[in-house]
Each structure stands twice: as C-alpha cells, then as structure tokens.
Amino acid sequence: MTNTAAPAPAKGLEGVIAANTRLSDVRGDIGQLIYCGYDINELAGKVAYEDVVHLLHHNHLPNAKELAELKVTLGQFREIPQGVIDIICKLPKETPPMNAIRTAVSALGCFDTTSEDDSQHSQRRKALRLIAQVPVVTAYFHRNRQGLPLIHPDAKLGEAANFLWMVNGTKPTKDMEATMDVCYVLHADHGMNASTFSARVTIATLSDMYSAVTTAIGTLKGPLHGGANEGVIKMLHEIGSLEAVDGWVADALAQKKKIMGIGHRVYKVLDPRAPHLKKMAQILSSQLGEPKWIQMSERIAELMLTKKNLHANVDFYSATVYYSLGIPTDLFTPIFAISRTSGWTAHVLEQLADNRLIRPQSVYTGPVGLKVVPVEQR
Ligand SMILES: CC(C)(COP(=O)(O)OP(=O)(O)OC[C@H]1O[C@@H](n2cnc3c(N)ncnc32)[C@H](O)[C@@H]1OP(=O)(O)O)[C@@H](O)C(=O)NCCC(=O)NCCS
C-alpha cells in the first residue's frame, strides 16, 4: 500500500520559496536581475567586480577607501598554502577542472586553522579568502596540467586581470580585463539558484564555509546549471557551420534533446545578462575576424525563440566570449565558479545571520508492511 493521500511534491522545487534574501532578486516575468537594489543593467560596465563583492557582502557599494582596502585584502589573500599547491599538482592532469577546484577548496579548508571558528569576523575573513583563492587554485591546476610553470599572483592586479595573468602568463590588455570583469559582475549572484541553495543547505547545519563552497562547486558543475557554457561550445563545434544550424536544431528538437544555453527555470522572457554577453561576443568575434560562432549562436537563439518560445540564458553567449578570449572550454564553468563564490559566500553569511536547519520532507511512494524473509528464501 502506498501513501496516496499526501500532497504531490513540487518537482524540482519549482515555485517553492526557500528563504528571504537581501542579496539578489530574479524577476523572471519581466527579465530583471537585481543585486541589493541595483538593476544589473545599472551595474554592468559601471562598477568593477570588487564593487559587487562589497555590495553583496555589505549591502552597499563601497566608498573609495572601502574599495581600496578590499582590493588590498583580496591581493594578500591570494597566497595559498604550499600543501594545497602540492595537492593540486598531484591531481591527474585529465581531472575535469571543476573536480580539481572542488578538491582544492576542500583542501584549503583543511589547511586553514580557523576553518571551524564560527565568529562573524572569521567567517567574513574566510569568505574573502575563498573569493581570492578560487581563481588561484583554478589557474594553478590549469598551468600544471599543461606542464607550464605556475604563475605567482600579482597583488597589484584586480581580480579579473590577475586571473587572466595567472592562466596565460601575460598581462591582459585593458579590453580583455574589462570584458572579463563584466562577466564576473554578471555571474556574481542569482537568487536561489541550485548551487546557492546547496551552499545554504550545507551551512544551515552549522557546517563550515569551506564545506558550503565545496558543495556549491559540485552543484554548479552539472550541465543543467553552470556546466551549460561548456556544452554550448561543444554544440557549436558539433554543428560546424552556419548552414548546418537549422538542420541540427530540427534534429535535436525531434530527439527531445536539450539545447545548451537555452531556457531557464525562472526567466520566461530574455535573461537580462544575455544582451550584455551577446554584445561582448559580437565585438570580440569581429575583432578576431571569426564571426562564425556568433552568427551560429544568433541563428540558434532565433530558432529556439520561434520554435519553442525559449530564450538564450547567461551561458549561451558567455561561452562565445570566453572562447574568443582564448580561454580553454573546460575553464568556462570554473570562471562561473570564481565569480559566483562572491554570491555563495554572501548567502552563507546571510544564512548564518538568521539560521534554521533546512530540512524539507518527501512523499514516501514505496510499499509498507513488508515482512523479512530469511536470506535463503529470498
Ligand atoms: C535551464 C533548464 C534546466 C530549466 O529546466 P526546467 O525549468 O526544469 O524546464 P524543463 O526542463 O521542464 O523544460 C520545460 C519545457 O521546455 C523545453 N526546454 C527547456 N529547455 C530546453 C532546451 N534548452 N532545449 C530544448 N527544449 C528545452 C523542455 O523540453 C520542456 O518541453 P516540454 O514541456 O515540451 O516537455 C532547462 O531549460 C535546460 O536544460 N536548459 C539547457 C541547459 C542550460 O542552459 N542550463 C543553464 C541554465 S542558466
């Protein structure tokens, strides 16, 4: 006998409100994203990622002194323990970078003697350390797997420029830095998305900051969440040419395949981050003299809107932006993780400020009343 009287669960928790937050609001019906009162269109291109880190962590944009102090702190926190570097360098070179980063963040917690200190000061410090160190472990893993020397972080550079420096070993141009910085700003937070929810579930047990961010990285990795940006470039390569797009999309839809970078649980109109990324992708593609990828992307987006009434999401054009910047495909999701660490840690701090264990229920659909049969009779 199964439990048929219980209410049906909200599959995928769709429509379920899990928390109050002052951090960000995703207004899916009108295509608006707000960080602490600021529309994303007001922030993108006007403020740096470090401003957004301060905004999410303190609920207001920093003044000049606060911003300068934050930049110094993040620069200092980029130094990571040798033990963590050793672990990163011993990982198999074929390890997907998201797995490597997940492991490295967990290791950072083991080497931080304050990891179990739950004072507010210590939690804030750990949050900033993670924001500064996730890019460093990503770059170290990437350089080591290529057999290249590790590049020491440059405390004088901002977050976006330092990451490009540590990955490429050359200082980025102002344009590259600015593009990356806008990408960071656009990815910093996004309401109760899957990885943020998992970070909040973990910290709500009064676990620790490193465990919460490790959980979040594991969640972001999946192709239905942050992993979609890698899927977009794989798809573009598989399609191969602008002429092949229509046929490929028709086949994929006939086979009920999901087109990566299209659709969203909350946005029923255009994802407000997509136009910013689309514009940057257009500029970069024309600068590179390689318009094929953006042309193919635009055609896929057009077809999906006409055929399925589904819009491109943040991952769709960010893939072309990173690709045009020469970043390897499997670092796309790690870049998302680098930026979202600011949002995850802000949510962890917010959860801790008014905590209650997150513990939903399930509807049991199995049988009841079974009797144990001796093993030799089963
Ligand atoms: C984001 C996503 C996971 C949201 O999922 P969801 O809210 O659970 O929506 P569903 O998967 O139930 O999709 C609803 C309908 O739209 C269709 N759909 C949604 N996204 C689609 C896509 N990318 N390609 C083709 N069809 C899609 C589904 O097939 C379904 O159609 P049906 O009702 O005819 O069966 C989903 O749109 C998706 O898988 N997108 C591709 C991955 C991606 O870009 N993820 C990054 C999100 S920022």
Side-chain angles (χ1 to χ4, degrees):
M1 197 177 72
T2 55
N3 184 0
T4 48
K11 195 171 179 196
L13 297 188
E14 182 166 6
V16 172
I17 294 167
N20 285 332
T21 181
R22 292 179 59 84
L23 299 173
S24 62
D25 193 16
V26 182
R27 301 186 170 181
D29 52 338
I30 54 169
Q32 191 180 24
L33 171 60
I34 294 168
Y35 291 172
C36 304
Y38 295 92
D39 191 305
I40 194 71
N41 296 319
E42 176 63 20
L43 296 169
K46 285 194 196 160
V47 301
Y49 172 65
E50 287 83 352
D51 289 283
V52 172
V53 169
H54 190 283
L55 176 65
L56 292 171
H57 280 230
H58 297 280
N59 259 247
H60 65 90
L61 283 172
N63 60 31
K65 183 167 171 280
E66 288 167 328
L67 185 60
E69 281 170 3
L70 176 63
K71 285 183 179 175
V72 169
T73 304
L74 289 173
Q76 287 168 347
F77 281 169
R78 286 181 194 146
E79 302 295 332
I80 66 169
Q82 186 58 45
V84 178
I85 300 176
D86 293 343
I87 290 171
I88 293 169
C89 292
K90 283 194 180 122
L91 292 171
K93 296 191 172 20
E94 315 71 46
T95 302
M98 284 297 279
N99 293 1
I101 300 164
R102 190 194 59 216
T103 301
V105 168
S106 184
L108 284 168
C110 300
F111 282 86
D112 183 350
T113 52
T114 70
S115 76
E116 307 303 314
D117 179 348
D118 60 3
S119 67
Q120 205 193 41
H121 170 76
S122 175
Q123 299 286 26
R124 286 197 174 278
R125 189 179 148 278
K126 280 176 281 203
L128 292 181
R129 281 172 70 99
L130 277 162
I131 291 167
Q133 293 181 349
V134 172
V136 174
V137 298
T138 305
Y140 280 170
F141 173 73
H142 177 60
R143 296 281 301 182
N144 185 65
R145 71 175 170 166
Q146 293 179 297
L148 295 170
L150 306 187
I151 305 280
H152 195 261
D154 183 342
K156 291 193 293 300
L157 297 178
E159 283 302 309
N162 180 62
F163 178 67
L164 290 168
W165 155 242
M166 291 188 69
V167 165
N168 297 326
T170 49
K171 294 281 158 74
T173 63
K174 282 284 160 216
D175 280 352
M176 283 171 83
E177 179 183 353
T179 303
M180 196 62 155
D181 195 68
V182 174
C183 290
Y184 278 12
V185 167
L186 294 173
H187 286 83
D189 200 37
H190 206 236
M192 198 51 61
N193 61 90
S195 53
T196 297
F197 180 59
S198 57
R200 288 186 82 130
V201 169
T202 298
I203 202 64
T205 69
L206 300 184
S207 181
D208 70 289
M209 181 71 76
Y210 292 96
S211 296
V213 173
T214 303
T215 308
I217 293 171
T219 307
L220 184 72
K221 178 188 163 192
L224 297 190
H225 192 6
N229 53 17
E230 296 182 33
V232 172
I233 288 297
K234 285 188 193 131
M235 172 179 73
L236 292 177
H237 279 286
E238 195 185 317
I239 300 174
S241 70
L242 180 59
E243 296 67 42
V245 167
D246 287 40
W248 191 94
V249 169
D251 281 353
L253 290 180
Q255 292 171 46
K256 299 250 171 242
K257 276 195 197 160
K258 288 276 174 70
I259 312 290
M260 290 294 109
I262 302 287
H264 199 273
R265 171 62 63 79
V266 185
Y267 292 122
K268 299 305 165 207
V269 293
L270 186 63
D271 180 334
R273 301 165 295 178
H276 293 278
L277 292 157
K278 181 177 174 181
K279 200 167 137 208
M280 291 193 290
Q282 284 168 331
I283 294 169
L284 284 166
S285 302
S286 75
Q287 280 172 355
L288 279 176
E290 211 181 351
K292 178 170 123 178
W293 307 112
I294 185 69
Q295 287 170 352
M296 288 168 71
S297 305
E298 284 172 345
R299 180 64 186 152
I300 295 168
E302 190 184 329
L303 287 170
M304 288 305 287
L305 189 58
T306 331
K307 286 175 184 272
K308 298 283 290 181
N309 195 27
L310 291 170
H311 290 269
N313 60 48
V314 70
D315 291 312
F316 194 65
Y317 294 108
S318 66
T320 310
V321 171
Y322 300 144
Y323 189 72
S324 307
L325 285 174
I327 293 168
T329 312
D330 63 1
L331 290 190
F332 293 2
T333 315
I335 292 172
F336 193 156
I338 286 168
S339 163
R340 187 57 59 86
T341 302
S342 60
W344 291 331
T345 50
H347 277 271
V348 166
L349 295 170
E350 189 179 64
Q351 180 70 33
L352 285 171
D354 183 22
N355 188 49
R356 191 166 188 224
L357 178 75
I358 299 173
R359 203 297 188 192
Q361 281 178 267
S362 48
V363 178
Y364 176 67
T365 59
V368 292
L370 300 182
K371 300 290 178 213
V372 173
V373 175
V375 68
E376 59 280 3
Q377 294 171 28
R378 283 177 222 156

